[in-house]
Amino acid sequence: SSALGTAPESSALGTAADPLQHAQRQRRMRAIQLAVKWNRPLVVEAIFKEQHNPKGEFTKSHQLALQYALELRRYDVIRLLMGYQGFSLQFVNLCKLYLVPNDGFLDSDEKLQKELLTNQGRIRDTTSPRRSYECFQDVIGIWLKNIDKAEGRPGVLSLSAFAETAPHFAHLVTWSVFLGEYSIADLFWRECDDPARVALLGSHQC
């Protein structure tokens, strides 16, 4: 199933008691999904302008769109979403990003692919951001730690996975660099608390 069908609920939207409202919400989410897929940030923006959101919160719709845009590596949509008030990475499923086929380094690493396959149930469980991040630490964090050990550089790549307690911009920089998506990596790098350290981390990956 797509990211737009599996992300967690947000208090900003709640659960629709009115079937008509629920149907409208579902149609809006399908429209957002298509706009993200076709990389149409102006359409995504227009849909959000129609959404009743007087407090300007980063709602469930924004969270779902962000996860989907990350999975599809839609730079323009990601940049748009990062500009919204209250932007948050809290509900980003980091492990799920590594599940997306990329025809590159990540796909070619047999140990990583085996761990992703073994833990698919945990990875696709979006009921709790905390459990999602713990899964990231157990699967991707350990994988990064093993790379560090093999390269004789303890903690270089894996440190941020265990130093944080929730998704962080540095995690997305690491993921983007692995994919060779340097423009996306730059977006996230500019938001890091310690850009110099993260830049060095990226140079080690390269």
Side-chain angles (χ1 to χ4, degrees):
S1 60
S2 71
L4 288 176
T6 58
E9 291 289 335
S10 165
S11 59
L13 286 182
T15 303
D18 186 338
L20 179 59
Q21 291 181 1
H22 178 72
Q24 291 173 339
R25 187 168 302 157
Q26 291 294 99
R27 285 196 296 271
R28 183 172 64 245
M29 290 312 309
R30 285 195 293 270
I32 292 174
Q33 182 177 19
L34 288 174
V36 172
K37 182 177 181 180
W38 296 335
N39 199 24
R40 299 290 189 269
L42 294 179
V43 176
V44 174
E45 185 177 25
I47 295 171
F48 283 133
K49 283 182 178 179
E50 295 176 355
Q51 177 178 304
H52 179 64
N53 184 20
K55 294 183 179 180
E57 296 176 335
F58 198 73
T59 66
K60 176 184 176 182
S61 298
H62 295 85
Q63 296 161 9
L64 297 174
L66 176 61
Q67 180 74 34
Y68 198 49
L70 287 169
E71 291 179 17
L72 296 180
R73 281 98 80 182
R74 297 295 190 249
Y75 172 89
D76 292 328
V77 177
I78 295 169
R79 184 174 63 174
L80 168 71
L81 293 169
M82 289 176 68
Y84 279 98
Q85 179 182 337
F87 174 81
S88 172
L89 298 177
Q90 180 183 0
F91 292 102
V92 171
N93 186 327
L94 295 169
C95 261
K96 201 162 183 281
L97 300 181
Y98 284 81
L99 272 181
V100 179
N102 60 83
D103 298 321
F105 171 71
L106 298 180
D107 279 356
S108 66
D109 190 296
E110 294 182 1
K111 290 183 178 179
L112 172 62
Q113 293 305 314
K114 181 179 179 181
E115 285 301 310
L116 291 172
L117 183 63
T118 301
N119 289 278
Q120 275 202 59
R122 289 183 66 196
I123 292 171
R124 297 186 184 280
D125 177 10
T126 57
T127 56
S128 165
R130 179 182 58 81
R131 284 200 294 270
S132 176
Y133 190 76
E134 288 174 352
C135 181
F136 167 73
Q137 291 178 315
D138 292 343
V139 178
I140 306 302
I142 297 300
W143 174 69
L144 292 173
K145 183 177 287 188
N146 289 334
I147 293 178
D148 285 338
K149 184 178 180 180
E151 296 291 329
R153 299 186 300 232
V156 171
L157 293 179
S158 58
L159 178 62
S160 65
F162 296 99
E164 306 293 341
T165 57
H168 192 272
F169 289 108
H171 302 141
L172 293 173
V173 172
T174 299
W175 166 75
S176 303
V177 171
F178 275 135
L179 295 178
E181 296 283 355
Y182 301 118
S183 59
I184 295 178
D186 183 66
L187 273 180
F188 298 130
W189 173 75
R190 294 174 183 275
E191 300 296 327
C192 290
D193 298 328
D194 189 355
R197 182 185 67 81
V198 176
L200 287 172
L201 183 153
S203 70
H204 281 296
Q205 288 180 256
C206 296

